[in-house]
């Protein structure tokens, strides 16, 4: 049991240790190649005018900052995690609302430019992104025990479970459809 928990937590931490710095790098790096068809490479500069820090070095800096920020939490006694759970819940809602808002903004721009996006039915190069979405979906579903455990009156259990899964499904559908129509060609 302990070995399984250690492997699970190590894998969970590895996912965050890769995803968070990569997202920060992709969000903050402003350099774009001169040819719009070129893809960004790790050796490209991260910021316009700053050639000493390329995209890979920016990623490494963000990994170090993330580890310095999250690493000390290992030494805390997390018996009472109410504030940590509230912060996590707020961050998840913020992530969903941000993704949907950005996609809606992109859809509005496409409509204004009269260039509607036709999403592809299947894209083999998009398979790695699919795994990232699956991991995000897993992270939302694996928090279900934290919804069920504090329920004192279990007779309302079915209603709460249906409400939780329905809201998750609605957000996934909204997130998926706005994302597909906003970024279907990417």
């Amino acid at each position: 049991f302990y070995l399984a928990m250690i492997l699970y937590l190590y894998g969970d931490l590895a996912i965050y240790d890769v995803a968070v710095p990569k997202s920060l790098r992709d969000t903050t790096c402003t350099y774009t190649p001169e040819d719009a068809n070129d893809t960004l490479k790790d050796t490209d500069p991260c910021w316009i005018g700053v050639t000493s820090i390329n995209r890979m070095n920016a990623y490494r800096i963000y990994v170090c900052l993330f580890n310095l920020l999250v690493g000390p939490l290992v030494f805390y006694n997390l018996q009472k995690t109410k504030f940590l759970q509230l912060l996590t819940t707020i961050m998840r809602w913020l992530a969903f609302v941000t993704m949907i808002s950005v996609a809606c903004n992109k859809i509005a721009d496409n409509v204004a430019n009269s260039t509607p996006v036709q999403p592809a039915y299947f894209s083999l190069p998009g398979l790695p992104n699919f795994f990232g979405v699956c991991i995000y979906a897993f992270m939302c579903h694996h928090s279900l025990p934290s919804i069920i455990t504090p329920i004192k009156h279990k007779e309302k259990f079915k209603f709460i479970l249906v409400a939780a899964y329905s809201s998750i499904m609605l957000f996934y559908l909204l997130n998926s459809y706005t994302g597909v129509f906003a970024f279907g060609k990417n």
Side-chain angles (χ1 to χ4, degrees):
F1 173 77
Y2 287 119
L3 182 63
M5 285 302 292
I6 289 168
L7 290 173
Y8 164 74
L9 291 173
Y10 179 75
D12 211 21
L13 182 61
I15 290 168
Y16 283 115
D17 205 24
V18 170
V20 171
K22 183 181 181 303
S23 296
L24 287 170
R25 183 211 47 200
D26 292 344
T27 304
T28 60
C29 286
T30 57
Y31 173 80
T32 54
E34 292 177 16
D35 185 7
N37 295 327
D38 282 351
T39 57
L40 289 167
K41 297 179 270 315
D42 288 340
T43 56
D44 287 339
C46 189
W47 297 283
I48 299 168
V50 180
T51 57
S52 59
I53 300 176
N54 60 24
R55 291 177 58 80
M56 180 54 79
N57 289 341
Y59 169 75
R60 290 176 180 143
I61 290 168
Y62 285 129
V63 167
C64 290
L65 290 174
F66 180 76
N67 287 333
L68 287 172
L69 182 70
V70 175
L73 294 177
V74 172
F75 301 106
Y76 287 100
N77 182 1
L78 294 176
Q79 292 297 320
K80 298 188 185 230
T81 61
K82 180 170 120 178
F83 294 114
L84 185 61
Q85 288 178 7
L86 285 173
L87 179 66
T88 302
T89 301
I90 290 169
M91 294 306 279
R92 284 182 182 162
W93 278 95
L94 184 64
F96 266 122
V97 170
T98 302
M99 287 186 283
I100 292 167
S101 299
V102 167
C104 286
N105 190 22
K106 178 82 170 166
I107 290 170
D109 286 347
N110 284 341
V111 171
N113 295 334
S114 301
T115 56
V117 175
Q118 292 293 338
Y121 291 110
F122 179 78
S123 172
L124 191 60
L127 201 56
N129 289 336
F130 175 71
F131 286 115
V133 171
C134 289
I135 289 169
Y136 191 76
F138 165 75
M139 294 309 293
C140 289
H141 280 91
H142 105 291
S143 63
L144 189 61
S146 67
I147 295 172
I148 296 171
T149 304
I151 297 174
K152 290 182 182 174
H153 303 289
K154 301 293 184 191
E155 63 272 2
K156 296 179 182 177
F157 172 73
K158 287 181 184 176
F159 173 75
I160 292 172
L161 196 63
V162 167
Y165 269 111
S166 297
S167 65
I168 289 169
M169 183 185 72
L170 288 174
F171 266 101
Y172 280 161
L173 288 173
L174 185 60
N175 197 17
S176 297
Y177 281 114
T178 56
V180 163
F181 286 104
F183 306 103
K185 291 286 183 184
N186 295 339

